[in-house]
Amino acid sequence: MAKKFIKKRKRNLMSVGLPAEIIFNIVLILFALLCIIPFVFVIVISFSSEQSIRQIGYSFFPSEWSVTAYDYVFKMGDQLWRSYFNSFFVTIVGTLVSITMCILYAYALFRRDFKFRSFFTMFAFFTTLFGGGLAPTYMVCKQLLGLSDNYQALIVPALVSPFYIIVMRTFFSSSIPEELIEAAAIDGSGEYRTLVKIILPITKPGIATVSLLTALAYWNDWYLAMLYIRDAKFIPLQYLLMKMQSQVDFLVKNSAKIGAEVANVVSQLPSSTLRMALVVFVVVPITFAYPFFQRYIIAGLTIGSVKG
Amino acid sequence: MDEKKTKAIALKGRRKKHKDRKKTLILLSMVAPTSIWLILLRYIPLFGIVIAFKNYKVYTKAPTLINNVIHSKWVGFKNFFFIFATTDSLKFIRNTVCYNLVFILCGLILSVSFAIMLNEITHKFVAKTYQTLMFFPYFISWVVASYFVAALLDPSNGLITRFQLEHFGAATDFYNNPKPWPVILTLSSIWKNTGYSTILYLAAITGIDTSLYEAAAIDGATKWQQIKYVTIPNLRTMISILLIMDIGKIFNSDFGLFYNIPQNSGPLFSVTQTIDTYVYRALMQTNNISNSTAASLFQNVIGFICIMIANTIVKKIDEDSSLF
């Protein structure tokens, strides 16, 4: 009897109790579902027939399923494939250049024996506190640096993030003992050699975190395209999607295959399902990369929130 | 003998100096690419601030950026007066600040409660699954999110509009009616950002020393009392720091949320316009470069003051958590 009581008491001290835990679970399930359901909904809509949408609107249970939207995308999605390529290209090149610059800068800031350490720390950090604002930056980029209707315009303005530099530096200082660098220097290893052969292998998780965050930012970017891109040739996925909101025919306007029949094709376009099919195309790569991303990004966020 | 020694020392010193100089040069070469970027894209635009005090006009004889800026007329604070003379400016400043306050408050309450709940789930696998699902919206752009919202609010096919039509006979014309938008924008912001901040708080909770809980349990504290007297007090510093930092950014807004979710709809501007969307629209849509620059200068100066104050307060609470 006494034993049972103690056991029960112990249980009470270690958990919130069954009823409370059930309520917690319900609340969390509801919110978790809320986070994911919109995406499921969009998938369902993209597979509904136009007929069903006219009848009952967007619904989780369409009266008729159809793959017409995907048919259209595959048949005349020239613009879509073009944009897919642009997004992948910008994401890959942008991330590679950006992470290289970030590692180099953060590594120099991490070195205590760097003479201008505090100057360059302030030099990067100041830009997060005060800036020229959108209009001057836009005009400098467009008119002085020629960032307009080219791939550079989608890559260059997002290359540097002082926040990631600080995160990267924190990774360096938390995983590399000072003596290691001294030892390498005594062995006659050059600075760059030390960085590539010794430092980088140790900080792989940190590099993965910052790379993934950067890649995500490039993949999700539409703002730079909205500012600097007018030519459909360079439009990335996210901006294509944004344009489709107001003009669904944008997707086929530039398609070489249909040419003169544009008006005819546009009038038969399954506009609402086509839009949603495109959303699915944009989100699918993220869902595939998500498990990966999640692990590293959580590691990065928790370290980033602790100042180094 | 002595002469030889001093010579040797001098030589050694020179060699060391030479080596140091070489090292500094190599390290400078490492910071060079980012520094050049910072100069071109962050420091040169700083000079553009003068546009806020000028009437920016294209200099027709030789229309380069620098000529345009130099040859535009000085107008003093006229641009600022112009912006603040309209009632619109009061609205977009009010919107920026009020939305931020609501987002900060709702975000704080929800993410701290979710983090505490997640920590109390017995099955770690289940907790992990919730966490994974909650974090998903963080990876989605506002453009995609705007389609999610449109799936509910679309004037002809939206889930909610159809529901209203069926059950009430009339539907709200969401994209032309500003009334429901404060709620819609708040829900959108919660949807996208709560998972992220929940994870931050959860990490802080897992970081709390377990011996504190054991000690509390020995003293007979129930789990609820442990949450109240151990978890929350231990989170207090982090909560106040994140809170103050957020308040430091109160004049900034998430452009994507306010531009994409309402789909750039004009009739909604009274409740969806913020300083950032105004700056963008003045530049790209009404082509009023001087006003755009003036508005962002206003935002920058006030923002700078707020961040400085916030940082000072944080420094008082916890030296290590301050930004600088």
Side-chain angles (χ1 to χ4, degrees), chain A residues 94-154:
Chain A
T95 307
L96 285 178
V97 179
S98 172
I99 192 72
T100 312
M101 287 167 69
C102 178
I103 288 172
L104 287 173
Y105 200 88
Y107 178 69
L109 294 193
F110 150 73
R111 290 285 296 267
R112 265 166 221 278
D113 50 349
F114 180 34
K115 221 179 176 177
F116 306 106
R117 188 177 186 233
S118 49
F119 170 77
F120 280 103
T121 309
M122 246 350 260
F123 191 65
F125 186 65
F126 175 76
T127 61
T128 62
L129 297 176
F130 202 84
L134 176 66
T137 313
Y138 170 75
M139 290 195 295
V140 167
C141 284
K142 196 163 175 171
Q143 293 174 30
L144 285 186
L145 305 176
L147 301 178
S148 171
D149 278 336
N150 46 28
Y151 284 119
Q152 299 92 287
L154 295 171

Side-chain angles (χ1 to χ4, degrees), chain B residues 63-83:
Chain B
T64 64
L65 178 60
I66 295 163
N67 273 345
N68 291 348
V69 174
I70 292 173
H71 291 277
S72 295
K73 261 203 204 104
W74 287 100
V75 292
F77 283 90
K78 215 179 111 197
N79 295 322
F80 295 90
F81 291 136
F82 179 81
I83 298 171

Side-chain angles (χ1 to χ4, degrees), chain A residues 29-43 60 283 287 290, chain B residues 129 132-137 140 148 191:
Chain A
I29 287 174
L30 284 180
F31 187 72
L33 285 180
L34 198 69
C35 285
I36 206 80
I37 270 183
F39 183 49
V40 177
F41 191 35
V42 162
I43 296 177
F60 281 101
V283 182
T287 41
Y290 186 55
Chain B
T129 311
T132 304
L133 294 176
M134 280 164 73
F135 200 24
F136 184 70
I140 298 299
F148 292 166
W191 179 79

Side-chain angles (χ1 to χ4, degrees), chain A:
Chain A
M1 184 69 187
K3 220 176 185 179
K4 208 175 169 191
F5 177 72
I6 288 170
K7 215 173 173 186
K8 198 176 164 201
R9 207 184 117 110
K10 202 170 168 199
R11 201 192 123 73
N12 271 340
L13 296 183
M14 293 322 288
S15 79
V16 284
L18 200 58
E21 202 174 328
I22 290 174
I23 293 172
F24 285 2
N25 271 297
I26 292 172
V27 172
L28 290 170
I29 287 174
L30 284 180
F31 187 72
L33 285 180
L34 198 69
C35 285
I36 206 80
I37 270 183
F39 183 49
V40 177
F41 191 35
V42 162
I43 296 177
V44 172
I45 296 172
S46 75
F47 282 106
S48 310
S49 75
E50 284 286 304
Q51 178 68 23
S52 156
I53 288 175
R54 260 194 302 276
Q55 260 170 24
I56 56 171
Y58 298 147
S59 163
F60 281 101
F61 311 99
S63 56
E64 189 189 356
W65 298 89
S66 145
V67 290
T68 327
Y70 291 89
D71 245 16
Y72 266 84
V73 169
F74 282 110
K75 242 193 265 161
M76 36 188 214
D78 287 14
Q79 181 61 49
L80 175 76
W81 304 125
R82 178 89 214 172
S83 295
Y84 237 108
F85 169 78
N86 290 345
S87 280
F88 270 108
F89 180 77
V90 166
T91 303
I92 292 167
V93 175
T95 307
L96 285 178
V97 179
S98 172
I99 192 72
T100 312
M101 287 167 69
C102 178
I103 288 172
L104 287 173
Y105 200 88
Y107 178 69
L109 294 193
F110 150 73
R111 290 285 296 267
R112 265 166 221 278
D113 50 349
F114 180 34
K115 221 179 176 177
F116 306 106
R117 188 177 186 233
S118 49
F119 170 77
F120 280 103
T121 309
M122 246 350 260
F123 191 65
F125 186 65
F126 175 76
T127 61
T128 62
L129 297 176
F130 202 84
L134 176 66
T137 313
Y138 170 75
M139 290 195 295
V140 167
C141 284
K142 196 163 175 171
Q143 293 174 30
L144 285 186
L145 305 176
L147 301 178
S148 171
D149 278 336
N150 46 28
Y151 284 119
Q152 299 92 287
L154 295 171
I155 294 172
V156 174
L159 277 179
V160 173
S161 154
F163 175 70
Y164 294 157
I165 291 175
I166 291 170
V167 170
M168 200 67 226
R169 195 193 60 181
T170 313
F171 268 112
F172 281 135
S173 52
S174 64
S175 56
I176 300 168
E178 203 83 14
E179 303 84 51
L180 191 65
I181 295 162
E182 285 163 25
I186 289 167
D187 283 349
S189 165
E191 297 291 345
Y192 278 99
R193 219 183 102 95
T194 312
L195 175 61
V196 174
K197 291 265 150 98
I198 300 171
I199 309 297
L200 293 192
I202 307 178
T203 30
K204 254 187 209 151
I207 296 168
T209 303
V210 177
S211 308
L212 289 173
L213 282 167
T214 311
L216 184 70
Y218 272 115
W219 181 261
N220 275 342
D221 180 70
W222 42 271
Y223 190 64
L224 292 176
M226 188 167 84
L227 285 175
Y228 301 115
I229 304 293
R230 295 290 164 273
D231 186 345
K233 247 179 25 203
F234 297 103
I235 284 182
L237 266 186
Q238 302 280 345
Y239 191 50
L240 174 70
L241 203 58
M242 202 171 146
K243 274 192 138 20
M244 296 268 298
Q245 229 159 31
S246 46
Q247 29 179 166
V248 74
D249 51 341
F250 191 84
L251 185 67
V252 291
K253 233 187 210 161
N254 301 292
S255 177
K257 282 181 202 148
I258 44 172
E261 311 162 57
V262 168
N264 197 17
V265 174
V266 166
S267 67
Q268 295 166 6
L269 220 53
S271 49
S272 31
T273 52
L274 191 57
R275 280 198 186 99
M276 297 307 181
L278 220 46
V279 174
V280 175
F281 269 99
V282 174
V283 182
V284 159
I286 295 183
T287 41
F288 277 119
Y290 186 55
F292 239 180
F293 267 60
Q294 214 220 154
R295 208 177 78 215
Y296 281 112
I297 285 178
I298 288 179
L301 292 179
T302 41
I303 209 164
S305 66
V306 184
K307 201 191 90 173

